[in-house]
Amino acid sequence: MKKIMLLVLSLTITSTLLFGCQTNESNTINSSENKPKQQSEVEEIPTIKIDGEIKEISISKTNGSNKIVLEDSSIETLKTIIMSGIKVNGIADMTNPEYYMNIIYENGNVQYFHLWIHEKGETSTLMNTEDTHTAYTVGKEMTEKLIEFIK
């Protein structure tokens, strides 16, 4: 009889410990994970930041040939292309770039980018040289505009 009581007591204590050590998963309807996000809580999509008024943008092949300098209305189009770039998750491990792009601002600051322009119907890639672990992709339509600029 003592053995049976000791066994029941041991099982009770073991069961209590096991139930007490379980993870606390929140399955309630009112948990913060299940609530829709308010407009102010919506996460911003990481994009390339422009530092101010652009004076000039130049694009050249990596060997230095075929330098194209853009000014005026072309700058606005290229600015739209650049700002449409969406950050690629993870650490970028890219091949050597096909083009270099320099953005010269009115205040004298310069931003340098590596640029991979793909074929029509594909996305292209931008990378700020100050952050070579992060790549940004631009859509198919923007790739077609980039191709027009380099021709």
Side-chain angles (χ1 to χ4, degrees), residues 54-60 66-82 100-106 115 117 145-151:
I54 298 173
K55 177 180 177 183
E56 176 182 294
I57 298 176
S58 65
I59 300 173
S60 64
N66 300 340
K67 184 175 181 177
I68 303 163
V69 177
L70 305 171
E71 295 176 337
D72 303 325
S73 63
S74 298
I75 288 177
E76 286 304 314
T77 304
L78 200 53
K79 181 178 176 181
T80 303
I81 293 170
I82 293 165
Y100 294 129
M101 181 172 61
N102 302 332
I103 301 175
I104 302 167
Y105 294 96
E106 293 287 342
L115 182 58
I117 301 175
K145 290 180 181 180
L146 280 171
I147 292 170
E148 289 175 21
F149 279 119
I150 61 170
K151 284 186 177 181

Side-chain angles (χ1 to χ4, degrees), residues 7-70:
L7 181 64
V8 170
L9 182 61
S10 296
L11 286 174
T12 305
I13 291 173
T14 304
S15 298
T16 304
L17 287 174
L18 288 176
F19 285 120
C21 294
Q22 285 184 348
T23 60
N24 186 12
E25 292 184 25
S26 177
N27 292 328
T28 62
I29 294 175
N30 294 328
S31 76
S32 62
E33 292 176 9
N34 294 332
K35 288 182 185 177
K37 291 186 175 184
Q38 300 293 328
Q39 189 165 2
S40 62
E41 295 175 337
V42 175
E43 293 180 21
E44 185 178 319
I45 298 173
T47 60
I48 297 172
K49 303 294 185 220
I50 300 296
D51 289 340
E53 287 297 315
I54 298 173
K55 177 180 177 183
E56 176 182 294
I57 298 176
S58 65
I59 300 173
S60 64
K61 288 196 173 217
T62 53
N63 63 6
S65 67
N66 300 340
K67 184 175 181 177
I68 303 163
V69 177
L70 305 171

Side-chain angles (χ1 to χ4, degrees), residues 90-95 97 112-114 116 125-136:
I91 295 176
D93 185 18
M94 305 291 291
T95 61
Y112 302 97
F113 289 91
H114 293 159
W116 293 264
T125 307
L126 288 163
M127 180 183 289
N128 189 326
T129 59
E130 292 181 9
D131 182 10
T132 58
H133 294 293
T134 305
Y136 298 86

